[in-house]
Amino acid sequence: MSQRVNIKKAAPAGYAAVVKLESYLPSTRIAPLHHELIRIRASQINGCTYCIDKHTQDALAQGASLRKLFALTNWRETDFFTEEEQAILAVTEEVTLIHQGLSDETYARAAKVFDEGYIAELIMAVIVINAWNRIGVSTHMKPALD
């Protein structure tokens, strides 16, 4: 693959705007580990290797089990995820794949466990990682090998 544009250098104001949006996330009620599950799952769907690598490491630092992380792509078929995590992952997938829409069923599932403010924060968290994924994938960002 050829070298691609460095968005941070070539469009610093735009990059700073995404960083500013990211800086909003710690003020939400979403637990840090849940943020990482959102980031990893969206990054898996979008094929962003850089973000998968980064956020998997961050999730491990937050105390996520390897077993849960290994099962994340197939979360519906396991009992490893709480009701809240299942709602978060369902919303993450549908907002990431927005051309299919956020279904009434998934929204109702989230509304059973979260209030409107939390759902809004959840949607914003998914939007932010999707922005980063689009930067990472379109510019061929790759994780550094240690």
Side-chain angles (χ1 to χ4, degrees):
M1 276 184 245
S2 63
Q3 180 69 31
R4 298 243 175 135
V5 64
N6 179 322
I7 299 288
K8 186 177 182 178
K9 290 181 182 176
Y15 189 89
V18 179
V19 169
K20 178 93 170 138
L21 188 55
E22 175 79 30
S23 72
Y24 152 77
L25 296 177
S27 72
T28 69
R29 294 175 285 160
I30 301 171
L33 182 54
H34 289 168
H35 271 290
E36 298 310 331
L37 293 177
I38 292 164
R39 291 168 175 142
I40 296 165
R41 188 65 194 117
S43 299
Q44 289 171 333
I45 292 166
N46 290 322
C48 186
T49 304
Y50 181 88
C51 291
I52 293 168
D53 181 69
K54 177 187 183 334
H55 296 296
T56 300
Q57 290 180 55
D58 293 346
L60 289 169
Q62 291 288 335
S65 71
L66 286 174
R67 193 172 190 197
K68 187 176 263 192
L69 293 178
F70 292 151
L72 189 55
T73 58
N74 208 29
W75 62 269
R76 285 182 181 85
E77 304 304 321
T78 73
D79 294 326
F80 302 160
F81 299 91
T82 67
E83 181 180 14
E84 291 83 6
E85 289 169 338
Q86 290 174 25
I88 286 168
L89 292 168
V91 169
T92 298
E93 289 182 357
E94 290 186 15
V95 172
T96 297
L97 300 168
I98 198 63
H99 67 282
Q100 299 170 359
L102 178 56
S103 70
D104 290 341
E105 177 185 346
T106 297
Y107 189 89
R109 180 181 195 176
K112 274 180 46 181
V113 291
F114 304 122
D115 62 29
E116 283 187 351
Y118 193 98
I119 293 170
E121 293 170 347
L122 174 58
I123 291 169
M124 291 303 298
V126 177
I127 289 167
V128 172
I129 190 56
N130 274 280
W132 287 123
N133 288 165
R134 278 143 181 77
I135 291 169
V137 171
S138 63
T139 64
H140 292 172
M141 289 176 65
K142 299 292 181 222
L145 295 175
D146 295 332

